[in-house]
């Protein structure tokens, strides 16, 4: 049985993804979670802290899912980079896809001074670093450069899919990723 | 000024190249210069929409180069440029726009490769030759980039395409040359190989053959198009330059490591 804290977190996560963060009021969250404002603030102290907790959980869940699937698919580092985009395509094209938390949050909180924006940027960097680590394990010479190229491709494709579901952007991003990965492998 | 909705940016792109690919890829150089300009209060919009001036303009360019899904390509490239510009604004030395340009070029290849790999979708041999020639020249251009970039970061990697498009007869001749070089059906994989060569040369210290060893008839081409990094303007020079480009030797041992050998 999930705790009340988790229930609030999951409810807020669903509402943020489907309605937007700024458009979702605390009243809506407590009503949907079947709790009170007092309980919500007991666990999260403010809406901003709730947003940060939702972002952290969402990113952690995504990274764990991706990592588990990658490790279950292959042990060869050189194959993991390309397979990474297979899983991302699977995720983006699934009916439950509602966008990427840190990408949406970054757009809703554009000010660099904002804590939500700062966490979004940090998660974007963490994802890039994750790709860079895979590239390093695959003996890619310019692992950071390739990671930057692939993360820009990936984030752009996710945003395009957020704007228009089924756009096919992720399909072309996957082909482009293969071109970039093959090129980087040959250069190494 | 919201750069992604500015007519100034469209004007800059329009005059930056004679080819749609060139105009798309120059976006990243123009944004880089704009962000680096002194005393400029940079304002970047928080969102990119499918209706802004830039996305519409990119969509027209993507249509002109027969992309599989022009609107998707335009939106995706606008988003990549927007994200890279935002990252550059907060981290000016991160090379985000340079890598964004590489990613965008791969995306263009991904959206256009099928059309020339499958002749059924093309109406005439002339078109096939033209596209094959374009990719061949893009490949050569990429191989030239290390010296090319030294001379001017503003120059477009598809300048060669401009030359091709200006003169249709040259386009056909270049296709024939590409055929002789077994490059007529340049695939995405082969384009990636060109990337690899470019990346390799960029990461090394390259030694060019001494000009005195070059026959007089080729000397001007060698100095201008290989050492100088300026793209040849005709087919004959292109073939000659390619021969000497193959003779450039590069050392990829890091300087510190090479100097520390006891």
């Amino acid at each position: 049985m999930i705790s009340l804290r988790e229930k609030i977190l999951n409810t807020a996560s669903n509402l943020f993804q489907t309605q937007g963060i700024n458009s979702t009021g605390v009243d809506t969250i407590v009503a949907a979670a079947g709790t009170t404002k007092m309980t919500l603030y007991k666990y999260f102290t403010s809406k901003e802290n709730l947003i940060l907790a939702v972002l952290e959980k969402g990113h952690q869940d995504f990274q764990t899912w991706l990592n588990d699937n990658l490790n279950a698919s292959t042990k060869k580092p050189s194959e993991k980079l390309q397979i990474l985009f297979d899983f991302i395509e699977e995720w983006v094209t699934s009916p439950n896809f509602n966008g990427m938390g840190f990408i949406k949050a970054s757009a809703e909180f554009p000010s660099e001074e904002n804590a939500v924006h700062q966490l979004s940027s940090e998660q974007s960097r963490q994802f890039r670093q994750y790709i860079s680590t895979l590239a390093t394990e695959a003996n890619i010479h310019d692992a950071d450069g390739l990671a930057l190229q692939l993360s820009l491709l990936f984030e752009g494709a996710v945003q395009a899919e957020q704007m228009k579901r089924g756009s096919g952007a992720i399909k072309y991003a996957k082909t482009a990723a293969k071109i970039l990965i093959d090129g980087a492998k040959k250069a190494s | 000024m919201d750069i992604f909705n500015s007519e100034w940016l469209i004007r800059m792109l329009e005059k930056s190249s004679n080819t749609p690919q060139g105009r798309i890829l120059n976006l990243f150089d123009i944004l880089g210069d704009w962000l680096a300009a002194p005393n400029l209060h940079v304002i970047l919009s928080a969102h990119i929409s499918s209706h802004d001036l830039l996305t519409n303009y990119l969509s027209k360019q993507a249509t002109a180069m027969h992309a599989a899904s022009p609107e998707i390509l335009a939106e995706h490239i606008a988003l990549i440029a927007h994200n890279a510009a935002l990252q550059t604004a907060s981290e000016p030395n991160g090379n985000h726009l340079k890598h964004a340009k590489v990613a965008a070029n791969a995306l263009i290849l991904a959206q256009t490769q099928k059309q020339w790999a499958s002749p059924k979708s093309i109406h005439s041999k002339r078109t096939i030759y033209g596209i094959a020639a374009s990719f061949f020249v893009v490949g050569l251009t990429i191989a030239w980039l290390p010296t090319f970039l030294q001379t001017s970061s503003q120059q477009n990697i598809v300048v060669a395409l401009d030359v091709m498009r200006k003169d249709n007869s040259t386009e056909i001749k270049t296709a024939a040359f590409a055929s002789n070089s077994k490059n007529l059906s340049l695939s995405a994989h082969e384009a990636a190989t060109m990337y690899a060569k470019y990346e390799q040369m960029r990461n090394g210290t390259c030694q060019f053959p001494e000009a005195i060893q070059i026959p007089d008839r080729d000397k001007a081409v060698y100095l201008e198009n290989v050492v100088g990094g300026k793209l040849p303007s005709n087919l004959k020079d292109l073939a000659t330059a390619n021969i000497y480009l193959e003779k450039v030797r590069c050392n990829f041992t890091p300087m510190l490591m090479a100097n520390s050998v006891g």
Side-chain angles (χ1 to χ4, degrees), chain A residues 107 110 112 124 128 141-142 145 148-149 152-153 155-157 159-160 163-164 167-169 172-173 175-176 179-180 182-183 186-187, chain B residues 46-48 50 68-69 72 76 79-80 83 90 94 96 99-100 102-103 106-107 109-111 113 188-189 192-193 196 200 203:
Chain A
E112 287 190 24
S124 176
R128 198 194 312 158
H141 175 67
D142 185 10
L148 183 49
Q149 292 158 19
L152 282 164
L153 257 184
E155 289 183 23
Q159 284 170 290
M163 286 158 68
K164 187 181 174 188
S167 71
Y172 295 114
T175 308
I179 291 170
L180 294 170
D182 285 349
K186 287 184 190 306
Chain B
H47 304 276
I48 280 285
S50 53
S69 298
I72 301 304
H76 200 162
L79 287 163
I80 288 173
N83 292 340
S90 60
H96 296 93
H99 287 292
V102 175
L107 206 50
L109 280 172
Q111 279 241 12
Q113 61 175 333
H189 174 73
T193 306
Q200 264 188 330
N203 289 320

Side-chain angles (χ1 to χ4, degrees), chain A residues 137-152:
Chain A
E137 287 169 0
N139 292 321
I140 300 289
H141 175 67
D142 185 10
D144 287 345
L146 178 65
L148 183 49
Q149 292 158 19
L150 294 179
S151 62
L152 282 164

Side-chain angles (χ1 to χ4, degrees), chain B:
Chain B
M1 177 175 72
D2 173 9
I3 189 77
F4 293 97
N5 245 324
S6 78
E7 289 181 358
W8 173 83
L9 179 61
I10 305 302
R11 281 198 302 275
M12 291 293 285
L13 289 172
E14 188 63 24
K15 69 181 182 186
S16 71
S17 172
N18 289 336
T19 68
Q21 292 97 324
R23 289 190 282 267
I24 290 177
L25 291 174
N26 278 341
L27 168 65
F28 299 90
D29 296 323
I30 293 170
L31 283 175
D33 286 347
W34 181 74
L35 285 164
N39 304 319
L40 188 74
H41 181 57
V42 173
I43 300 171
L44 289 166
S45 54
H47 304 276
I48 280 285
S49 90
S50 53
H51 304 297
D52 62 32
L53 280 178
L54 176 64
T55 312
N56 282 332
Y57 179 78
L58 294 178
S59 184
K60 285 177 192 163
Q61 307 312 309
T63 302
M65 63 186 192
H66 309 291
S69 298
E71 286 181 14
I72 301 304
L73 181 61
E75 274 181 19
H76 200 162
I77 287 179
L79 287 163
I80 288 173
H82 183 255
N83 292 340
L86 283 173
Q87 291 169 1
T88 302
S90 60
E91 200 183 327
N93 299 321
N95 280 333
H96 296 93
L97 283 162
K98 186 193 88 175
H99 287 292
K101 185 175 182 176
V102 175
N105 203 13
L107 206 50
I108 290 172
L109 280 172
Q111 279 241 12
T112 52
Q113 61 175 333
K114 202 173 180 180
Q115 297 185 22
W116 48 266
S118 119
K120 285 177 187 170
S121 62
I122 309 282
H123 298 302
S124 70
K125 281 186 178 177
R126 185 185 172 92
T127 314
I128 298 169
Y129 288 156
I131 294 170
S134 299
F135 275 96
F136 173 73
V137 178
V138 165
L140 277 179
T141 311
I142 290 165
W144 250 287
L145 268 174
T147 46
F148 186 59
L149 289 175
Q150 284 172 6
T151 54
S152 167
S153 62
Q154 270 296 293
Q155 287 187 34
N156 179 5
I157 68 163
V158 284
V159 168
L161 286 171
D162 296 349
V163 176
M164 295 296 108
R165 296 296 161 89
K166 278 179 189 166
D167 181 354
N168 283 340
S169 63
T170 310
E171 207 169 76
I172 303 302
K173 286 177 197 166
T174 308
F177 172 75
S179 178
N180 289 337
S181 306
K182 297 180 182 175
N183 267 328
L184 181 62
S185 56
L186 187 70
S187 65
H189 174 73
E190 286 164 318
T193 306
M194 291 296 191
Y195 264 122
K197 191 171 180 181
Y198 155 53
E199 287 294 330
Q200 264 188 330
M201 288 181 74
R202 194 168 64 83
N203 289 320
T205 306
C206 296
Q207 189 173 11
F208 295 85
E210 288 184 17
I212 200 166
Q213 300 171 334
I214 310 294
D216 287 345
R217 65 177 185 280
D218 296 339
K219 207 165 272 178
V221 172
Y222 172 71
L223 290 173
E224 188 173 356
N225 304 129
V226 178
V227 180
K230 185 180 173 190
L231 285 168
S233 57
N234 64 59
L235 179 66
K236 185 169 167 289
D237 291 353
L238 188 75
T240 306
N242 199 30
I243 291 168
Y244 292 108
L245 190 70
E246 289 297 318
K247 295 184 178 178
V248 176
R249 294 285 171 264
C250 296
N251 179 13
F252 301 105
T253 307
M255 285 284 195
L256 283 173
M257 196 185 295
N259 291 337
S260 67
V261 175

Side-chain angles (χ1 to χ4, degrees), chain A residues 7 9 20 33 45 52 57 59 79 101 121 123 126 130 173 187:
Chain A
K7 192 177 179 187
L9 208 54
T45 67
L52 294 173
K57 184 177 184 303
H59 192 64
E79 289 177 359
S121 300
Q123 290 181 340
Q126 284 172 7
Y130 177 73

